[in-house]
């Protein structure tokens, strides 16, 4: 048998897999490459990996034989059945203490199941979020590993070596037990949906109310990227708006307005409902994509349904652009506050010991939602690791107070002009709800008790459930309480 030479094996030679291997090679790690169709391995070694220390394997047996102990096998294959199929084939070839790493976009519940079953066989499992796309994989992704804590020391140098850096800090740290890594990646993707929708609403307001051209809007995003909103998504938006088709006209205006999705934003929204957390902005961002995708129906409706007949905008254009910027910033703060509320609840339910400042740092570079703003989130959790909500941190509280007047002005204009702003609107509704000492849910409780004898508590006696015979002809038997 060949002498073990490789530090880690990587299964799956699609774009992400190839780039991650080359990144590991750059950092001095010897990688063994494997793919189900083995011609891909030969092609990769003869082309992209030519002149590197990367080795190939034509079978899983050969791959495992080339690995130093404890053996580290990373998979970058399609989430779901393919991951389980590879795990089943690998288990008989590995020994106690060897490590299987799933770097795909798996559901966190799958990672929980896989870790449990592999640990029963004496093997260690890591489910890691990988973000940053093709470029990130090649030059420094954001990595979010979770799973068997015993495995972390054996992959720490590789993962932190290849990850993006925020200053000198690696955008990779241990997230937590079983499915925590993939859960954090899922919330990252949900926040990404929210950020993208917020930017699209800012674009829509400038286009429809201020009648700005893509070139003018591109310049606005150039300016925004110099301040608090400095981020990857704002940066690419300025490029997209300035991009011209072969005939010299803006390409963005020719693209069909029906958004696709791969499901990770939806998973975040479903998880928020499961855990009873009001992550309203990500939910609206997912629904906005769903609404966009019924394009033909919208075109038909546009011929029949009237909007407001509002006169053209006559205010101070420059000021309104600044108002939109502030509304975007305030809404973004709310979205991240909601995302971290969900992480906190998931940690409680799953007994994960999440490091929230660490998570903000992991997202600070290398990934799609990387932004200056995440540095402020890290600082908030460094200052108070038990912070219940980002909105209560002094930095964010001051920021949102400062943006409030502009935020409300923009939404009033959007409503008056008939421009849909689901994410901006739900962010403000959440903010107003969160800062309300009293909400009208007392009436809901009365209604529930009236029609279903569901009982209610009095403000003066919380914890004591009472049923009232509202009609005078109902009984006094109350229904048992349960939480949805």
């Amino acid at each position: 048998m060949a002498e073990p030479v490789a530090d880690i094996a990587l299964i799956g030679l699609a774009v992400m897999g190839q780039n991650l291997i080359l990144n590991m090679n750059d950092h001095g790690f010897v990688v063994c490459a494997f793919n189900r169709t083995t011609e891909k391995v030969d092609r990769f070694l003869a082309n992209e990996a030519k002149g590197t220390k990367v080795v190939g394997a034509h079978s899983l047996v050969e791959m495992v034989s080339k690995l130093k102990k404890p053996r580290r096998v990373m998979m970058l294959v399609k989430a779901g059945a393919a991951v389980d199929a590879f795990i089943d084939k690998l288990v008989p070839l590995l020994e106690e203490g060897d490590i299987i790493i799933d770097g795909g976009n798996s559901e966190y519940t799958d990672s929980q199941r896989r870790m449990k079953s592999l640990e029963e066989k004496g093997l260690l499992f890591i489910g890691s979020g990988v973000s940053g796309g093709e470029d990130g994989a090649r030059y420094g992704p954001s990595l979010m590993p979770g799973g068997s804590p015993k495995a972390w020391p054996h992959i720490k140098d590789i993962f932190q070596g290849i990850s993006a850096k925020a200053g000198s800090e690696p955008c990779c740290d241990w997230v937590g037990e079983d499915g925590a890594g993939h859960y954090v990646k899922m919330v990252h993707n949900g926040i990404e949906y929210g950020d993208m929708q917020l930017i699209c609403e800012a674009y829509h307001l400038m286009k429809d109310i201020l009648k700005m051209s893509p070139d003018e809007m591109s310049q606005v995003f150039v300016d925004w990227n110099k301040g608090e909103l400095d981020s990857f998504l704002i940066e690419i938006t300025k490029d997209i708006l300035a991009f011209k088709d072969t005939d010299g006209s803006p390409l963005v205006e020719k693209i069909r307005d029906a958004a696709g999705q791969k499901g990770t934003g939806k998973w975040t929204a479903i998880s928020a409902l499961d855990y009873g957390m009001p992550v309203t902005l990500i939910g609206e961002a997912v629904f906005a994509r769903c609404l966009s995708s019924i394009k033909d129906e919208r075109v038909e409706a546009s011929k029949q349904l009237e909007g407001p007949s509002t006169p053209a905008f006559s205010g101070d254009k420059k000021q309104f652009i600044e108002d939109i910027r502030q509304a975007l910033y305030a809404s973004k703060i709310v979205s991240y506050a909601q995302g971290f509320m969900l992480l906190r609840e998931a940690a409680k339910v799953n007994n994960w010991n999440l490091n929230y400042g660490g998570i903000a740092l992991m997202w600070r570079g290398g990934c799609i939602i990387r932004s200056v703003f995440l540095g402020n989130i890290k600082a908030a959790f460094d200052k108070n690791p038990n912070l219940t909500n980002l909105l209560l941190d002094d930095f964010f509280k001051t920021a949102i107070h400062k943006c409030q007047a502009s935020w409300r002005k923009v939404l009033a204009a959007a409503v008056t002009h008939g421009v849909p702003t689901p994410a901006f609107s739900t962010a403000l509704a959440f903010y107003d709800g969160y800062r309300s000492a009293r909400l009208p849910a007392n009436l809901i409780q009365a209604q529930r008790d009236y029609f279903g004898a569901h009982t209610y508590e009095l403000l003066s006696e919380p914890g004591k459930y009472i049923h009232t015979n509202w009609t005078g002809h109902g009984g006094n038997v109350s229904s048992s309480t349960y939480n949805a």
Side-chain angles (χ1 to χ4, degrees):
M1 269 307 202
E3 187 63 30
V5 287
D7 299 300
I8 188 167
L10 199 139
I11 299 173
L13 294 182
V15 174
M16 288 292 281
Q18 292 194 12
N19 282 323
L20 220 48
I21 290 173
L22 296 173
N23 184 352
M24 289 176 182
N25 179 77
D26 287 350
H27 287 87
F29 301 106
V30 178
V31 189
C32 180
F34 178 78
N35 199 72
R36 206 162 42 106
T37 45
T38 50
E39 304 86 74
K40 240 184 174 174
V41 177
D42 299 332
R43 245 195 339 266
F44 177 57
L45 292 177
N47 296 292
E48 294 87 353
K50 198 177 175 180
T52 67
K53 286 189 177 156
V54 177
V55 294
H58 287 133
S59 69
L60 289 175
V61 173
E62 185 191 349
M63 180 194 82
V64 168
S65 75
K66 291 187 174 178
L67 287 172
K68 297 174 191 167
K69 292 181 182 177
R71 301 184 185 96
R72 292 163 280 218
V73 179
M74 183 166 184
M75 297 175 291
L76 272 174
V77 297
K78 196 174 178 335
V83 177
D84 286 320
F86 268 116
I87 289 176
D88 291 344
K89 288 185 188 127
L90 284 166
V91 167
L93 308 176
L94 298 174
E95 293 169 13
E96 195 169 336
D98 286 348
I99 300 157
I100 294 178
I101 305 160
D102 172 18
N105 249 343
S106 293
E107 285 202 60
Y108 79 100
T109 45
D110 284 343
S111 295
Q112 289 177 315
R113 169 177 61 77
R114 287 169 187 147
M115 185 186 101
K116 193 168 176 290
S117 108
L118 285 169
E119 286 196 340
E120 283 164 5
K121 300 178 176 84
L123 298 171
L124 301 176
F125 175 80
I126 282 186
S128 179
V130 179
S131 178
E134 191 177 329
D135 229 35
R138 182 67 189 87
Y139 301 108
S142 164
L143 297 166
M144 300 152 242
S148 312
K150 280 185 191 154
W152 175 234
H154 299 291
I155 66 152
K156 184 179 179 181
D157 289 350
I158 301 178
F159 269 43
Q160 293 194 337
I162 65 168
S163 73
K165 307 293 179 285
S168 59
E169 300 257 17
C171 295
C172 167
D173 205 349
W174 183 246
V175 176
E177 306 73 14
D178 59 56
H182 276 129
Y183 194 87
V184 166
K185 173 65 163 71
M186 178 193 78
V187 174
H188 161 284
N189 285 24
I191 288 174
E192 185 185 305
Y193 274 55
D195 276 356
M196 290 165 78
Q197 177 62 26
L198 288 170
I199 290 170
C200 290
E201 290 178 17
Y203 153 78
H204 200 173
L205 290 162
M206 288 189 272
K207 185 164 92 97
D208 279 23
I209 297 180
L210 299 179
K211 310 293 181 201
M212 290 168 70
S213 70
D215 277 336
E216 285 180 285
M217 290 188 273
S218 174
Q219 193 45 56
V220 167
F221 281 98
V222 169
D223 296 338
W224 286 0
N225 207 42
K226 292 174 187 159
E228 296 159 324
L229 291 172
D230 173 357
S231 65
F232 173 71
L233 286 168
I234 295 279
E235 199 177 300
I236 68 169
T237 303
K238 75 168 168 54
D239 294 344
I240 291 166
L241 290 166
F243 195 89
K244 302 290 182 286
D245 198 2
T246 43
D247 63 0
S249 63
L251 178 59
V252 70
E253 296 307 331
K254 297 181 176 183
I255 297 173
R256 191 166 186 263
D257 51 316
Q261 48 182 323
K262 282 190 168 171
T264 44
K266 183 176 78 175
W267 292 351
T268 311
I270 291 169
S271 180
L273 287 167
D274 283 343
Y275 288 134
M277 280 291 116
V279 186
T280 57
L281 197 142
I282 293 170
E284 285 293 354
V286 173
F287 286 134
R289 290 194 189 191
C290 299
L291 182 59
S292 79
S293 70
I294 52 169
K295 168 81 173 163
D296 297 342
E297 219 173 302
R298 287 188 291 111
V299 169
E300 193 45 51
S302 73
K303 297 169 190 164
Q304 299 185 45
L305 302 176
E306 288 177 11
S309 47
T310 315
F313 183 81
S314 58
D316 180 336
K317 184 172 161 183
K318 206 173 158 200
Q319 180 53 50
F320 192 63
I321 290 170
E322 173 54 20
D323 290 338
I324 296 173
R325 187 193 72 80
Q326 293 195 28
L328 175 56
Y329 185 46
S331 302
K332 185 173 160 123
I333 291 171
V334 166
S335 182
Y336 281 70
Q338 291 181 348
F340 277 90
M341 284 169 80
L342 181 57
L343 287 174
R344 187 172 284 284
E345 185 60 25
K348 206 159 74 187
V349 173
N350 294 288
N351 293 317
W352 295 331
N353 184 20
L354 297 184
N355 169 2
Y356 303 104
I359 290 167
L361 178 66
M362 282 176 241
W363 295 345
R364 177 72 185 78
C367 64
I368 308 300
I369 63 170
R370 68 175 179 263
S371 67
V372 166
F373 176 89
L374 284 151
N376 305 122
I377 295 181
K378 180 173 185 325
F381 284 113
D382 283 352
K383 199 167 74 180
N384 177 8
N386 299 315
L387 185 66
T388 50
N389 194 300
L390 272 179
L391 295 175
L392 303 178
D393 171 70
D394 288 340
F395 175 86
F396 291 110
K397 193 166 34 179
T398 307
I400 221 155
H401 289 166
K402 205 179 102 199
C403 295
Q404 200 173 153
S406 288
W407 198 8
R408 295 181 189 281
K409 214 186 300 175
V410 166
L411 283 171
V415 171
T416 317
H417 285 83
V419 176
T421 50
F424 277 6
S425 307
T426 197
L428 183 59
F430 172 84
Y431 175 74
D432 283 337
Y434 190 68
R435 63 175 192 83
S436 296
R438 284 205 69 169
L439 288 170
N442 49 322
L443 180 55
I444 289 178
Q445 285 301 77
Q447 290 167 337
R448 291 175 74 239
D449 191 51
Y450 188 111
F451 66 68
H454 290 297
T455 75
Y456 57 86
E457 299 165 280
L458 289 171
L459 286 165
S460 56
E461 292 181 85
K464 184 179 173 193
Y465 291 88
I466 298 162
H467 167 57
T468 291
N469 181 351
W470 297 90
T471 58
H473 54 72
N476 285 316
V477 181
S478 62
S479 106
S480 55
T481 60
Y482 55 89
N483 288 321

